[in-house]
Structure formats: C-alpha cells, structure tokens
Amino acid sequence: MTEELKRIRRSIARELQETDYSETALLAHIDRALTEWGRTRKLSLKNKELFRKQLLDSFRGMDILQPLLEDDSVTEIMVNGTGRIFVEKNNEMCLWDRTFSGREALDDVIQVMAASVNRLVNTASPIADLRLADGSRVSIVLPPAAPDGPVVTIRKFFKDPLTMDRLLELDALTPACAAFLKSAVTCGCNIFISGGTGSGKTTFLNALSAYIPSGERVITIEDSLELQLQGLPNLVRLETRDPNLEGSGRITIRDLIRTALRMRPDRIVVGEVRGEEALDMLQAMNTGHRGSLSTGHANSAVHMLSRLETMALMGADLPLAAVRSQIASALDLLVHLGRFRDRKRRVLSVSEVLGLEKGEIRIETIQRYTEKEGLRFTGHQPENTEKWREIFGHVPRFGEDGRFILADEAEAPAPC
C-alpha cells in the first residue's frame, strides 16, 4: 500500500471511528475518498478498482494476504515479520514481492484471525493455533516467543478435496496401490498414515475416507477441524478446545476419544496424534472399532512405530512390551508419505504390521517408492493370512507385474 493510500485509509478510519458501520457504508466512504483523490491526478478505472479492493481488504479482509487467500493455487503462506512473506505455489516456494506497511497492519490481521474464532493471542499468550472460516489452518507466534516479530503460517486446503483419482493423475501412487488401499479401507483395516510436515497426510486421509461405506457411523477427532470427509451422512465431528483465561474448560483429544467411544461409532478417525492420546487411539482400535484411521509425524514407517511407542508410554505407566503388543494388534497397515526433490507429494511405502517377534514389532513393506523406479511392489506378499482372511475374507496378493489381485484365483471375492 502506497503512502497516499495509507493516508486515505487513516482518513477513512477517523471518519468511521465513532460509528458502527456496515460494509456498504465502508465502501461508500472508500469510493468518496478515491473520487476526491482522483480529481487531483489521472486515475484509471482499473487502478481505482485495485485501490478500492486494497482499502476494503485492509479494513475487513486480511490486508495484503487477502489475494493469497483467494488464490486457489497457493497452498501455504508464511509471514516472517512485516517484511518477509514466503508463498508456496504449485509446489514451489518463493519470496512474495509485497510486504505489510508496518507492524500495526500485521497486528491488525492477526487480531482479525483470532477474533474470528473467539481466540485471544497477545504477549501474555503469544502462541495460538486456529482455523479460518474456509478451513485454512493458522499458526501464530508473537513476541517474546518470536523475537524477530510476529510469525504467521497459514496452511490452505483445497475447496474441493483431492480424490484418489486426482492423486493417481498427480502420480502420488500407483493404481495397484490405490486398489489395495481401497479394499483395505472398505473391509475395515486399521490404517495409520505417517509423513513429514507438508507431506499431504490430511489430504491422503481425506481421499481414503471416500472408501468408507456410507452406512457407517464415523466420528472424527481433531485439534482444528481440517478433514473434509465426503458422502458420510452419519458423520460426527469433534474438536479440541484450549483453556479459557481462568485456565479451565480445556478439552483434549484424549477427552474426545473417550467420549467418542460412548457414541456408538463404527469407525474413529483421529486427525493427528502428537502425544499421550496415542494410547487411547490404540485402545479404541483394539476394542472393536475396525477401520479406524489416523496420522502422525515421522520420517519413516519404522520411525512412526517408535514414536507411537513413546507417545503411548506418555499416556500411562505401562511396560514397553504391553505398549508394543497394543500397537501390533491395533494396526494393520502403515502408509508413509513424503516428498522427493521434485517437490511432489507421494506415497513412499505401504507396510503390513505382522505382529510381535522376539519382543519387536515386525513390519513388512509391500510397496516402496524410489526415485529410479517409482512406487513398485517389493515382492513381499501380505503374510498375515489369518488376519487378512478375517478382514478381506481372502488373502490379497500382487501379481508379478505388481497388479493388485482382489482374491485368490481359486476363490471368489468374499463380501466385506
């Protein structure tokens, strides 16, 4: 925003300071100010419309961030203080050529975000996680926690969730892998999705959820509502809550998982596990809620198992052997996601959880991605025949060409 536009904005703000104004009244003041300004200089209709939108955004929208929020090709916005804004667009990261006019403008945007969900963020409480009306996830860190100035990270989501067909078009996985996972979800496998930050875990979880039979009752549990499960009429969404100013009223994921168990769910979907709630999720999977799904941060499927052990041990004073037994019996498949140097998000591995062997959780990778060969069948057929017959009604397998075969040739597919 130019110095002249800043002056116009201050003038309009003074006029409206004592009144409760509507957007129509605000636009009337903006139009009048721009008309008066245009008398002293040549102002094209195109520039007038541009300045009109900038002024409106500065009052009612997210100031200079508004165009980025409206751009569907932008997936992430990172504000590092007033002068550095990085944007991820079409899988490429770049420094944006616009900056906030000053600290006050950035502070105003932060307070607009927080107020939209009745949250408080200030120097006394400098860290906040929230979501915007369009579902975008926002992380805010203020000084003194961020000594170089306020940091705002906005993770945007597609207005229309990516389907598995679209992920296939984007080369995120192979048709054989998609067919296998479709059968696994439909028939009630417990699946855990792991990956690093920005690897597409939530997007992939949304895509998998399309295979949940529509007649089932599904309960989702999240820190901030992000999942966009489609085609499920009996869907219940639960969300955590931070404590109020008095320090009371907090609702945790653990609280919600325990509550969900009393709500007759067929499946429980936990958006992400980060701590002691992992134990409650595993216990839910082990108490008849087959087909449950969840995600977590990890560098590999093996690392995810280690993290689950650590998180579950935070939830109760249990022997490590008991926790490993819980994990081995609860999970059927581990799907690990990530990015390679081309910045594309892909399924990097699909692994079967085979149970305990000499006190360790044994997994076998069925499909693995490499830069040279892409996602390929590793040659390891699903081994846990008893579990697979219980879930699928038969033992799934892959042909020599990596093609997924729904049933053994000698038997017809059994209904799920």
Side-chain angles (χ1 to χ4, degrees), residues 4-309:
E4 190 65 26
L5 280 182
K6 293 178 189 176
R7 183 191 64 76
I8 293 173
R9 189 192 187 284
R10 289 194 294 268
S11 174
I12 296 172
R14 285 195 298 270
E15 292 177 15
L16 298 172
Q17 190 171 14
E18 303 299 328
T19 61
D20 182 16
Y21 56 92
S22 64
E23 186 166 311
T24 301
L26 174 60
L27 284 172
H29 280 79
I30 292 173
D31 288 339
R32 184 166 62 252
L34 288 176
T35 299
E36 292 176 1
W37 185 40
R39 289 174 184 156
T40 61
R41 64 185 62 219
K42 292 182 178 180
L43 189 62
S44 68
L45 180 61
K46 180 179 179 180
N47 282 338
K48 184 176 180 180
E49 286 298 318
L50 175 63
F51 296 152
R52 185 178 192 256
K53 187 177 189 312
Q54 288 182 10
L55 287 167
L56 180 62
D57 288 345
S58 70
F59 279 101
R60 285 293 174 84
M62 300 297 176
D63 202 7
I64 63 170
L65 299 184
Q66 193 66 31
L68 297 177
L69 291 169
E70 295 172 356
D71 187 344
D72 291 340
S73 65
V74 172
T75 54
E76 195 135 15
I77 305 165
M78 287 148 280
V79 181
N80 301 344
T82 60
R84 290 175 300 154
I85 300 175
F86 290 86
V87 177
E88 184 184 61
K89 186 174 182 177
N90 299 323
N91 290 322
E92 295 291 335
M93 190 80 69
C94 63
L95 177 65
W96 203 32
D97 59 3
R98 296 184 63 182
T99 61
F100 282 96
S101 59
R103 173 68 181 274
E104 183 180 353
L106 176 53
D107 286 343
D108 286 346
V109 168
I110 290 172
Q111 293 308 319
V112 167
M113 291 179 180
S116 68
V117 289
N118 296 318
R119 293 289 297 277
L120 183 67
V121 55
N122 52 34
T123 54
S125 180
I127 299 175
D129 293 311
L130 49 95
R131 57 182 170 83
L132 302 179
D134 65 355
S136 297
R137 184 174 65 196
V138 183
S139 173
I140 300 172
V141 184
L142 301 182
D148 295 330
V151 178
V152 181
T153 308
I154 304 174
R155 172 76 58 81
K156 292 179 59 184
F157 291 93
F158 296 101
K159 292 179 180 178
D160 298 316
L162 291 182
T163 63
M164 194 61 72
D165 287 342
R166 180 59 180 147
L167 291 176
L168 285 168
E169 292 175 8
L170 295 172
D171 195 30
L173 72 169
T174 63
C177 182
F180 176 60
L181 293 176
K182 176 181 179 180
S183 293
V185 173
T186 302
C187 295
C189 284
N190 290 330
I191 302 174
F192 199 94
I193 302 167
S194 63
T197 301
S199 58
K201 296 183 295 296
T202 302
T203 297
F204 199 77
L205 181 55
N206 275 323
L208 283 184
S209 69
Y211 299 137
I212 297 175
S214 60
E216 296 189 4
R217 178 172 173 82
V218 179
I219 297 179
T220 66
I221 298 170
E222 302 174 80
D223 273 328
S224 296
L225 294 179
E226 300 174 23
L227 296 173
Q228 300 169 284
L229 275 60
Q230 306 291 315
L232 295 171
N234 199 352
L235 173 66
V236 177
R237 301 198 300 167
L238 304 179
E239 184 180 34
T240 62
R241 186 177 69 185
D242 288 337
N244 58 26
L245 293 176
E246 289 74 36
S248 61
R250 184 184 184 193
I251 301 174
T252 67
I253 285 184
R254 296 197 78 177
D255 297 329
L256 295 177
I257 292 176
R258 292 168 181 171
T259 299
L261 293 175
R262 297 191 290 269
M263 299 171 69
R264 201 221 166 272
D266 291 308
R267 304 185 191 222
I268 296 175
V269 179
V270 182
E272 182 178 338
V273 291
R274 299 189 182 95
E276 58 189 19
E277 68 274 4
L279 179 61
D280 300 273
M281 180 203 69
L282 293 169
Q283 290 175 339
M285 289 180 172
N286 275 319
T287 53
H289 301 92
R290 295 215 57 85
S292 294
L293 306 166
S294 188
T295 76
H297 280 81
N299 295 324
S300 67
V302 173
H303 183 218
M304 190 68 249
L305 289 176
S306 178
R307 286 207 66 221
L308 280 173
E309 290 175 7

